[in-house]
Amino acid sequence: MDKKWYEKDYRGEMKSYKDVPGFINEAEFIFEDIISTISLDQVTKRDEKYHVVELGTFLGQSACRMASLINEYEIDNITFDSIDLFWLPMHIMSNRDDWDEKTQSGIPPSFHQYIEWLNKIVKDAGGVTLSPIDVTKHPVRILGLEDFVNFITCDTQYAARLYDDETLDFVWCDACHDYEYILKELETFWPKIKKGGMIAGDDYNTKDVKKAVKEFQKKYNKSIVGLETTDISFKIKKSNI
């Protein structure tokens, strides 16, 4: 029987985003829905420029998923930004040893093994240690996806300032999941979403994320054409009007 995802040994050869440690959850499928839709859309909108943004990169699993889809669907007129502070994942990895197998919460031991393995590679090559950004970039480089993702160092609750209004097709929220933080991300990025575009995110099963999404829905209901939620994720689509 195959090992469960949190027991997986990441020390082997990295062949796809599935071999990158992380908590991709339903982003795996939501990202493909977005990219496949853009792929169909560009057939009739040859001059359209597409732009998708991920808030919260962690160790790079979902960034690799999005980049691999852009490559697979051969979309040339798209920009993908993955935004994080980058030092924070390493801080979390260094200070949390809280894995609970029963609830499957915390940081799995295999994630720590992955970081140890990366550091060993660097030391064996004569280096000292990996920088935080190098940890995230490693799987992108190994999988040959560097041309399909831009890593931007920024606090995600302020990152909306990087973009003009109605320029983004899709934003994925998976950084800090505190109520005030996620609400600010939703409110500041909403004007940046194109008409008909979407903002979505992970961890809808947490109290803070659910509260933030519901409050956002009440406040911006007139410009929302649809809200879909599951036990894990949420998707909010912007009206075309």
Side-chain angles (χ1 to χ4, degrees):
M1 181 179 294
D2 292 339
K3 289 184 177 181
K4 296 178 180 178
W5 68 270
Y6 55 80
E7 296 175 329
K8 187 173 182 180
D9 185 350
Y10 288 98
R11 302 186 186 204
E13 183 179 354
M14 193 171 286
K15 297 180 179 179
S16 79
Y17 71 94
K18 294 182 179 180
D19 298 318
V20 184
F23 305 98
I24 193 167
N25 295 327
E26 293 179 351
E28 180 176 12
F29 313 109
I30 293 173
F31 283 11
E32 183 160 22
D33 287 343
I34 294 298
I35 295 303
S36 62
T37 299
I38 288 175
S39 179
L40 291 172
D41 188 66
Q42 70 172 350
V43 173
T44 56
K45 299 179 181 179
R46 300 184 184 277
D47 295 328
E48 184 77 10
K49 299 296 183 182
Y50 301 93
H51 203 154
V52 296
V53 174
E54 172 186 54
L55 305 177
T57 311
F58 195 43
L59 300 177
Q61 185 183 46
S62 55
C64 285
R65 173 58 168 164
M66 180 64 82
S68 64
L69 286 166
I70 292 171
N71 183 32
E72 178 185 335
Y73 280 85
E74 299 181 338
I75 303 175
D76 297 324
N77 51 339
I78 189 171
T79 299
F80 167 43
D81 300 329
S82 187
I83 303 175
D84 204 311
L85 288 174
F86 295 108
W87 61 265
L88 189 56
M90 291 304 294
H91 175 76
I92 292 172
M93 296 291 291
S94 299
N95 292 278
R96 286 181 58 180
D97 187 17
D98 57 354
W99 175 249
D100 186 326
E101 186 171 335
K102 185 176 181 180
T103 61
Q104 294 187 28
S105 61
I107 302 297
S110 55
F111 285 28
H112 292 290
Q113 293 170 4
Y114 174 74
I115 299 300
E116 291 172 2
W117 174 62
L118 287 180
N119 279 318
K120 185 176 185 302
I121 290 176
V122 173
K123 289 179 181 179
D124 288 349
V128 179
T129 186
L130 281 169
S131 70
I133 190 66
D134 281 333
V135 171
T136 303
K137 285 185 174 181
H138 174 77
V140 174
R141 291 168 176 157
I142 293 297
L143 297 174
L145 299 171
E146 290 179 282
D147 293 339
F148 304 100
V149 54
N150 303 314
F151 290 112
I152 298 175
T153 303
C154 183
D155 189 323
T156 59
Q157 65 178 329
Y158 304 116
R161 300 176 184 180
L162 300 173
Y163 306 100
D164 293 331
D165 288 353
E166 296 188 3
T167 57
L168 304 180
D169 296 272
F170 175 71
V171 173
W172 177 252
C173 301
D174 193 17
C176 176
H177 299 106
D178 293 342
Y179 161 71
E180 291 182 354
Y181 198 105
I182 186 67
L183 182 60
K184 185 170 183 179
E185 284 183 344
L186 293 172
E187 291 185 335
T188 57
F189 269 94
W190 190 241
K192 312 302 177 180
I193 303 292
K194 294 178 183 177
K195 293 177 180 178
M198 181 184 293
I199 191 166
D202 200 10
D203 295 274
Y204 188 71
N205 56 325
T206 65
K207 180 178 67 176
D208 279 8
V209 173
K210 187 173 293 186
K211 180 181 177 183
V213 170
K214 288 184 175 180
E215 182 165 332
F216 176 81
Q217 181 188 20
K218 289 179 181 178
K219 188 173 181 179
Y220 295 88
N221 189 53
K222 289 183 179 180
S223 59
I224 294 174
V225 72
L227 170 62
E228 297 180 29
T229 64
T230 69
D231 290 340
I232 302 175
S233 66
F234 66 89
K235 297 187 292 183
I236 306 172
K237 188 170 183 179
K238 196 170 190 177
S239 170
N240 281 308
I241 300 174

